[in-house]
Amino acid sequence: MRLFEAIIDANHRALAGDAQAGLHPGDFADELPIAALTCIDPRLNPLLPSVLGLPEDQFIWLRNAGNIITGPMSTTMRSLSMACAIKGAKEIAIIGHTDCLVGKTTTMQLIEKFRALGVERHLLPDNINEYFGIFSSERQNVIKAADIVRHSPLIGPKTPVHGLLVDTGTGKLDWLVNGYQTLESFSSRLQEVAKSAGQTVDALRSLADFKIGEMRFPDTKIGEIVTHAENWVSEKAHEFESLGGENPAEKKPAVPPKLPLPPPLRPRIHLRKP
Ligand SMILES: [Zn+2]
């Protein structure tokens, strides 16, 4: 049994009342860590780790509203590919959830909600559905996302890409796309990729042309980018200070101080109006 088959098997057995059900991460050392994309819904905060049953350090968790992949070179694709390339993720899972508000909110409701926040319609993109990724089916949304990730030139041909749906009411996890199966049919696509290598190079070149300020990715190593970014942040911070920023809270030192440990959790005190 492979990793996600074991995860789903353990999930179903636990829901059926099997107190022994659980994953043995040691059995899957070659398939861990994994990278998972989920929605921003806070109900997933406690739910997802227990549904997957993976150790915290084996679980790279990416989130966006509606677990949407907008395109093969999108920013979420960038993060997923970096999760594989620099954090060693071996498998990718797009995990949708039931009762998703991104799917339930209509275009008109969304416009109204933005208006209530002081964001008028003309300030929103024209292609509002496409931009915010409004979808009508949670399942179709996951299937589409898994398909885009599978075919992104940024993802290696040997990396399984799964599509799953978790029930926020019960915690039940179900297959929508078995990434091990699509991987098998994917080997034939390798030849296709070889044929269309020119296109892939073009796609990567368009990414390489992407600039941030003075930075140019092709000429720069990751470490240098970080250094440049730090310098840039530092310069901006000094510029802001020299302007005599009005809001003291906005005045940040160039290097952020180390965050102190949070105080121990205390029970919340609810103030009630008399
Ligand atoms: Zn959601």
Side-chain angles (χ1 to χ4, degrees), residues 39-41 66-67 97 99-102:
C39 185
I40 54 173
D41 195 312
N67 45 270
H97 70 101
D99 194 35
C100 182
L101 276 184
V102 177

Side-chain angles (χ1 to χ4, degrees), residues 50-210:
S50 63
V51 160
L52 294 177
L54 291 170
E56 282 179 22
D57 61 350
Q58 300 298 325
F59 172 36
I60 303 165
W61 195 351
L62 287 80
R63 305 178 77 156
N64 71 28
N67 45 270
I68 286 164
I69 302 281
T70 53
M73 305 299 278
S74 66
T75 58
T76 302
M77 271 317 310
R78 173 189 161 275
S79 292
L80 276 176
S81 67
M82 292 289 262
C84 297
I86 65 176
K87 296 303 292 180
K90 307 286 198 310
E91 302 196 5
I92 293 172
I94 312 298
I95 308 180
H97 70 101
T98 58
D99 194 35
C100 182
L101 276 184
V102 177
K104 287 179 139 184
T105 306
T106 66
T107 310
M108 287 311 293
Q109 286 169 336
L110 189 63
I111 290 170
E112 280 307 313
K113 283 173 190 293
F114 272 113
R115 183 169 292 144
L117 296 171
V119 182
E120 297 297 330
R121 173 65 186 94
H122 71 276
L123 298 172
L124 298 171
D126 289 339
N127 56 345
I128 194 163
N129 280 341
E130 193 186 334
Y131 180 78
F132 290 104
I134 304 287
F135 55 80
S136 53
S137 159
E138 287 139 2
R139 289 171 177 267
Q140 285 304 318
N141 177 53
V142 169
I143 292 168
K144 182 183 166 194
D147 188 59
I148 297 175
V149 176
R150 171 71 289 158
H151 294 97
S152 168
L154 303 179
I155 300 301
K158 290 177 183 168
T159 306
V161 180
H162 309 289
L164 306 161
L165 191 75
V166 63
D167 187 317
T168 49
T170 63
K172 188 165 182 276
L173 191 63
D174 280 315
W175 281 117
L176 294 179
V177 180
N178 182 323
Y180 303 123
Q181 290 170 3
T182 53
L183 196 61
E184 285 164 21
S185 64
F186 194 61
S187 62
S188 61
R189 207 185 81 81
L190 277 178
Q191 293 172 328
E192 194 189 310
V193 168
K195 280 186 224 156
S196 64
Q199 283 180 352
T200 309
V201 169
D202 284 345
L204 288 171
R205 192 172 288 136
S206 69
L207 178 76
D209 286 340
F210 179 67

